[in-house]
Amino acid sequence: MPTFLSSRKWARLGLLLLLIALGIGLAIVEQRDSSSPGPVPSDDAGEPDYYLEGVTMTRFNAQGIAHQTLESPRLVHTPVDDVIRADSPQAKVRDEAGRKWDISGDKGSLGPQRDLLTLTGNAQLVQPEQGWRLDTDVLYYQSSDGHAWSDTEAVLRQHEQRVRGNRFDAWIDTDQARLSGDVRGHHPQLAEDES
């Protein structure tokens, strides 16, 4: 009789261990499923050949120094037009003087030569050190010549000052900027100007 009870205890213990192992296995499978990629994106340019999630792209200059980065929750490449499209892109660029510029928008695309970045929807160009900020709907940035421009209405701000125009051009390496087309500005008098 004692042998029967001990084998029964072993059977219960074995069953308990089996259930624990099964629970651990299911937990591992569940974790794998939660990190699976989202649905394959579709686009008018055709089916992508690859897409990346949670990405930071970095470009280096001729001296091997990182001078441009592009962060996005999702990048999609379509081979038909060789364009990379980005959701909520955040770009950081260094000009020749070493100043940082932030470029962002709701959507972005990087052309076939990877030289022209186009941002659409709430596009911004910001130079934080000098307090400059440009807001527009569509912003282009050509990295080969440091040229940023917009053919849509743009508002350029520095602190409390703001200027609005129908077209904006800036060459970040040479500190040149131009607003044109129905230009209007608001330049409040600063406290130090009043004395």
Side-chain angles (χ1 to χ4, degrees):
M1 192 89 168
T3 310
F4 176 72
L5 288 177
S6 63
S7 66
R8 198 170 179 189
K9 287 181 182 179
W10 282 110
R12 285 184 183 172
L13 182 61
L15 183 59
L16 179 64
L17 290 174
L18 179 64
L19 288 174
I20 290 172
L22 182 62
I24 291 172
L26 289 174
I28 290 171
V29 168
E30 181 66 28
Q31 284 180 344
R32 282 191 199 155
D33 288 344
S34 66
S35 64
S36 64
V40 174
S42 61
D43 193 274
D44 294 339
E47 188 172 319
D49 56 348
Y50 65 87
Y51 66 96
L52 305 167
E53 294 183 335
V55 178
T56 300
M57 290 177 54
T58 304
R59 291 185 73 180
F60 297 87
N61 63 16
Q63 293 76 33
I65 299 169
H67 72 109
Q68 296 177 358
T69 62
L70 176 68
E71 294 181 10
S72 174
R74 179 178 268 201
L75 294 178
V76 178
H77 177 261
T78 49
V80 171
D81 55 4
D82 193 22
V83 171
I84 295 175
R85 290 169 179 77
D87 292 337
S88 306
Q90 301 281 326
K92 296 194 181 300
V93 177
R94 283 189 183 273
D95 63 20
E96 289 180 353
R99 292 174 303 210
K100 295 178 185 175
W101 294 78
D102 298 326
I103 306 170
S104 62
D106 294 338
K107 297 284 183 188
S109 63
L110 198 54
Q113 303 302 314
R114 309 298 179 250
D115 188 47
L116 178 62
L117 176 63
T118 304
L119 297 151
T120 57
N122 299 308
Q124 287 190 341
L125 173 67
V126 178
Q127 205 298 305
E129 294 168 7
Q130 297 176 348
W132 290 102
R133 187 177 96 207
L134 175 84
D135 295 292
T136 188
D137 190 49
V138 180
L139 179 67
Y140 303 94
Y141 177 70
Q142 187 97 35
S143 64
S144 58
D145 58 2
H147 183 203
W149 76 94
S150 176
D151 294 323
T152 59
E153 185 176 61
V155 178
L156 181 62
R157 297 174 180 10
Q158 185 181 35
H159 308 298
E160 298 302 315
Q161 300 179 53
R162 66 182 179 276
V163 182
R164 177 182 310 270
N166 292 337
R167 177 171 170 87
F168 171 80
D169 285 278
W171 294 266
I172 66 172
D173 292 327
T174 59
D175 272 345
Q176 295 180 25
R178 176 178 59 214
L179 271 170
S180 55
D182 194 25
V183 176
R184 296 160 287 173
H186 175 72
H187 304 281
Q189 191 171 18
L190 301 176
E192 58 192 48
D193 291 342
E194 295 173 353
S195 51

